[in-house]
């Protein structure tokens, strides 16, 4: 195996060297509990405070509106459950292509007596803001729509949805785990009430994330205990992680615009390369309103895990859009919601590019995938019959 | 690595993949849970399998299992092929992960069906 190419940045990213350097002292020197009054604790507290300010500056919000959590899943649980349980009963609006952290939370809330509307998306993976408006009922207590989808990268019309939320006085939670630190987020213009973000998608460590909650938004805690995070999220802070998240955000603020331009060009080079050398392919997601580094490609008639395995053997890391597990195949629920036909959905492969991706990497992937798909199709009953 | 070297080798270089013109027996099997399917074509001489070709749709292990099995059963009598067990197919790729055992089921099922088809054609008269 000569070359290794990582194209799975939507799953996770390597910790940036500047981030790691900033974190290290908090494991061994400033290791105190931030709640302790002594100097050891104060040193740790200072690290957490700095991180909070960095995140706040990036989002252009107040530092005391940031709550650190253990991951994007916890942030989504906190955002959606927190809004719903603070109101006791009522109706929520979300979409069919949300992350499971939101979908499963909504399903649980249904079991607790809440009503939920799961909005359809169009063939490009876009939520229609008019559908949001039509779904609102007198008892609607919250809207939760992701900023961009992790599988296909389509970016949702947050400003239009937020305007409706404002007009109808409904709190608006946004899962921004895939966009935070990659593209601009304007929580004021989009009238967002709460926003989930994560560290390990932006070259920070795993196990740390956050929820921004607009001042005045009623939200109950889902984790109880001590008085951490202004009584919003109990538990001793993950100090090195939070420090790392703060540094990652600072680095992203510096690098993200240049990188988005560069990665977008590589993204388009990848799709053009695949389209030019492999017949019967399609791009999933919006052609332009899409995350800079995300390319979901469907190979008709081919099973995506075979492509992933073939690429893995060439040192390339991508992810399958369908998962074949014992007893059932799951063509991605996102692609199904977009109405992608089964024979295409089964052959979906997601490539997500990042800061280390080079033009040579892209050309290597294009050259590698072409014979893999040809070989898979050669043994295929459907096309040969 | 999740898969054995033998499995990966067959996946990368499948033997006997493709169609066969005027086969003496054809059989297919499908694993409904995930849509994996395999189709085998047999050439028969003196009651024994002289040539095998296959087509598959499925994850890597299914392709590899079909390739390995096609080599394993060449030369076998049709009667013996009717008894082909999934375990033998699995052994031919040095084992399968628990959640991919169905690859061996599909391949063994398709080969048994092809053997049955070939036997029926022999009984059915001149071909």
């Amino acid at each position: 195996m000569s070359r290794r190419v990582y194209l799975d940045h939507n799953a996770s990213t390597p910790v940036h060297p500047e981030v790691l350097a900033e974190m290290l002292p908090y494991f061994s020197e400033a290791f105190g509990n931030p709640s302790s009054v002594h100097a050891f604790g104060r040193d740790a507290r200072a690290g957490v405070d700095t991180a909070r300010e960095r995140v706040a500056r990036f989002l252009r919000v107040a530092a005391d509106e940031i709550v650190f959590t253990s991951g994007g899943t916890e942030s989504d649980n906190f955002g959606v459950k927190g809004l719903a349980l603070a109101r006791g009963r009522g109706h929520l609006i979300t979409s069919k292509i949300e992350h499971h952290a939101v979908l499963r939370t909504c399903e649980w809330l249904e079991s607790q007596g809440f009503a939920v509307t799961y909005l359809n998306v169009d063939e490009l993976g876009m939520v229609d803001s008019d559908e949001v408006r039509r779904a609102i009922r007198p008892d609607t207590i919250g809207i939760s729509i992701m900023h961009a989808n992790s599988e296909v990268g389509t970016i949702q019309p947050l400003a239009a949805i937020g305007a409706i939320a404002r007009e109808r006085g409904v709190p608006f939670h946004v899962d921004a785990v895939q966009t935070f630190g990659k593209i601009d987020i304007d929580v004021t213009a989009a009238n967002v009430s709460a926003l989930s973000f994560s560290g390990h998608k932006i070259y920070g460590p795993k196990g740390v994330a956050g929820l921004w909650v607009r001042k005045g938004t009623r939200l109950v805690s889902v984790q109880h205990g001590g008085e951490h995070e202004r009584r919003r999220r109990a538990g001793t802070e993950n100090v090195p992680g939070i420090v790392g998240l703060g540094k990652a955000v600072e680095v992203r603020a510096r690098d993200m615009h240049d990188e988005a331009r560069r990665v977008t060009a590589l993204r388009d080079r990848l799709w053009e390369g695949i389209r030019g050398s492999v017949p019967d392919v399609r791009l999933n997601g919006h052609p332009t309103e899409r995350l800079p580094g995300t390319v979901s490609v469907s190979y008709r008639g081919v099973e995506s895990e075979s492509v992933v395995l073939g690429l893995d053997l060439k040192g390339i890391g991508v992810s399958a859009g369908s998962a074949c597990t014992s007893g059932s195949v799951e063509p991605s629920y996102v692609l199904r919601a977009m109405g992608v036909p089964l024979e295409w959905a089964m052959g979906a492969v997601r490539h997500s590019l990042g800061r280390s991706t080079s033009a040579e990497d892209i050309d290597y992937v294009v050259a590698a995938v072409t014979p893999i798909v040809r070989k898979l199709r050669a043994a295929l009953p459907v096309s040969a019959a | 690595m999740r898969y054995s070297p033998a499995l990966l080798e067959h996946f990368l270089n499948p033997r006997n993949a493709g169609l066969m013109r005027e086969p003496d027996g054809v059989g297919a099997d499908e694993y409904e849970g995930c849509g994996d399917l395999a189709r085998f074509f047999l050439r028969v001489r003196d009651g024994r399998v002289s040539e095998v070709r296959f087509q598959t749709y499925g994850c890597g292990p299914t392709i590899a299992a079909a390739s390995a099995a096609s080599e394993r059963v060449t030369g076998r009598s049709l009667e013996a092929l009717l008894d082909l067990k999934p375990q033998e197919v699995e052994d031919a790729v040095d084992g399968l992960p628990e959640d991919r055992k169905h690859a061996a089921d599909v391949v063994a099922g398709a080969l048994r069906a092809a053997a049955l088809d070939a036997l029926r054609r022999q009984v059915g008269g001149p071909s």
Side-chain angles (χ1 to χ4, degrees):
Chain A
M1 190 180 296
S2 53
R3 198 183 182 101
R4 279 163 64 84
V5 178
Y6 182 76
L7 294 187
D8 207 9
H9 290 80
N10 286 8
S12 195
T13 58
V15 172
H16 193 292
E18 290 180 51
V19 171
L20 183 61
E22 188 110 347
M23 289 172 68
L24 286 176
Y26 289 89
F27 287 101
S28 49
E29 293 157 39
F31 61 85
N33 188 320
S35 298
S36 300
V37 294
H38 45 62
F40 302 90
R42 289 199 304 275
D43 288 348
R45 168 64 56 202
V48 172
D49 287 346
T50 301
R52 201 184 306 278
E53 281 156 20
R54 284 170 170 168
V55 175
R57 200 175 308 131
F58 180 73
L59 285 173
R60 287 165 286 161
V61 299
D64 61 5
E65 296 174 316
I66 306 286
V67 182
F68 290 116
T69 67
S70 66
T73 292
E74 186 191 333
S75 295
D76 283 343
N77 269 266
F78 185 14
V80 177
K81 277 183 205 160
L83 284 175
L85 297 176
R87 284 151 186 85
R89 69 172 86 164
H91 168 245
L92 294 152
I93 298 170
T94 188
S95 85
K96 288 182 178 171
I97 64 164
E98 298 300 307
H99 191 275
H100 280 131
V102 167
L103 287 177
R104 299 263 157 84
T105 298
C106 285
E107 287 164 14
W108 179 79
L109 286 167
E110 282 185 286
S111 77
Q112 302 300 304
F114 290 86
V116 181
T117 297
Y118 300 89
L119 296 174
N120 290 313
V121 294
D122 68 14
E123 72 280 7
L124 302 176
M126 196 75 93
V127 172
D128 181 352
S129 57
D130 285 337
E131 282 212 28
V132 176
R133 184 190 302 278
R134 281 195 289 275
I136 292 181
R137 317 190 316 200
D139 65 339
T140 300
I141 54 166
I143 299 169
S144 179
I145 299 290
M146 68 195 341
H147 193 186
N149 182 270
S150 65
E151 281 186 42
V152 296
T154 299
I155 299 168
Q156 302 300 338
L158 284 198
I161 297 167
I164 294 162
R166 177 185 304 146
E167 184 188 310
R168 305 296 294 266
V170 177
F172 181 24
H173 167 256
V174 172
D175 172 357
V177 166
Q178 286 296 344
T179 53
F180 179 76
K182 296 183 191 170
I183 59 174
D184 284 318
I185 299 172
D186 189 336
V187 291
T188 305
N191 189 46
V192 179
S193 315
L195 183 115
S196 302
F197 56 92
S198 178
H200 75 109
K201 311 289 190 189
I202 55 165
Y203 312 96
K206 294 170 184 63
V208 65
L211 184 74
W212 165 76
V213 186
R214 182 185 295 282
K215 214 161 278 173
T217 304
R218 274 194 300 134
L219 198 89
V220 298
S221 300
V222 295
Q223 180 157 311
H224 302 96
E227 304 199 346
H228 313 85
E229 299 294 291
R230 300 167 68 85
R231 296 189 191 171
R232 300 196 127 174
R233 197 272 185 184
T236 299
E237 298 87 345
N238 168 7
V239 178
I242 290 169
V243 166
L245 172 56
K247 184 64 182 177
V249 169
E250 189 182 68
V251 173
R252 296 310 296 166
R254 182 189 74 202
D255 296 348
M256 98 174 172
H257 290 105
D258 286 346
E259 189 185 297
R261 269 191 294 280
R262 194 183 70 81
V263 168
T264 300
L266 291 175
R267 172 194 84 179
D268 295 342
R269 181 188 184 106
L270 177 61
W271 166 234
E272 292 302 329
I274 292 172
R275 182 163 67 166
S277 55
V278 185
D280 266 347
V281 292
R282 64 175 268 169
L283 178 73
N284 301 310
H286 200 286
T288 53
E289 293 299 305
R290 201 162 95 246
L291 281 172
T294 303
V295 184
S296 168
V297 174
S298 278
Y299 300 95
R300 191 166 69 86
V302 174
E303 203 275 335
S304 54
E305 275 195 35
S306 298
V307 182
V308 172
L309 177 59
L311 289 173
D312 183 32
L313 294 170
K314 294 279 178 191
I316 299 163
V318 297
S319 70
S322 68
C324 168
T325 53
S326 58
S328 74
V329 73
E330 281 299 321
S332 128
Y333 68 96
V334 173
L335 297 176
R336 264 188 321 194
M338 289 163 58
V340 175
L342 193 64
E343 60 173 346
W344 288 100
M346 294 293 290
V349 176
R350 181 189 71 183
H351 318 73
S352 46
L353 289 54
R355 61 184 285 266
S356 65
T357 311
S358 68
E360 292 73 32
D361 290 340
I362 296 301
D363 297 344
Y364 177 71
V365 172
V366 172
V369 79
T370 307
I372 290 167
V373 173
R374 191 192 312 124
K375 209 179 275 186
L376 289 170
R377 281 182 173 157
L380 197 71
V382 186
S383 66
Chain B
M1 192 52 145
R2 186 167 145 68
Y3 300 124
S4 73
L7 188 153
L8 293 176
E9 210 284 313
H10 275 283
F11 170 72
L12 281 176
N13 304 296
R15 269 73 102 182
N16 305 313
L19 269 172
M20 179 188 287
R21 285 178 192 278
E22 298 175 15
D24 298 315
V26 182
D29 196 15
E30 183 171 359
Y31 184 69
E32 280 188 19
C34 76
D36 273 15
L37 64 93
R39 181 187 295 154
F40 278 86
F41 306 89
L42 304 180
R43 183 90 60 218
V44 181
R45 291 289 173 270
D46 303 325
R48 290 186 178 276
V49 176
S50 63
E51 192 188 343
V52 183
R53 306 283 283 174
F54 74 88
Q55 298 173 305
T56 59
Y57 172 82
C59 40
T62 306
I63 295 164
S67 168
S70 73
E71 286 192 322
R72 181 72 72 106
V73 303
T74 300
R76 193 168 295 190
S77 74
L78 291 176
E79 284 77 10
L81 192 53
L82 282 179
D83 276 335
L84 181 68
K85 302 281 190 297
Q87 187 60 52
E88 189 186 344
V89 175
E90 185 180 342
D91 292 345
V93 289
D94 287 351
L96 287 164
E98 198 54 47
D99 60 355
R100 293 292 183 275
K101 300 276 189 204
H102 61 266
D105 295 335
V106 170
V107 166
L111 274 165
R112 287 194 305 266
L116 190 62
D117 181 54
L119 282 167
R120 279 185 179 145
R121 290 193 201 196
Q122 287 178 352
V123 173
S127 60

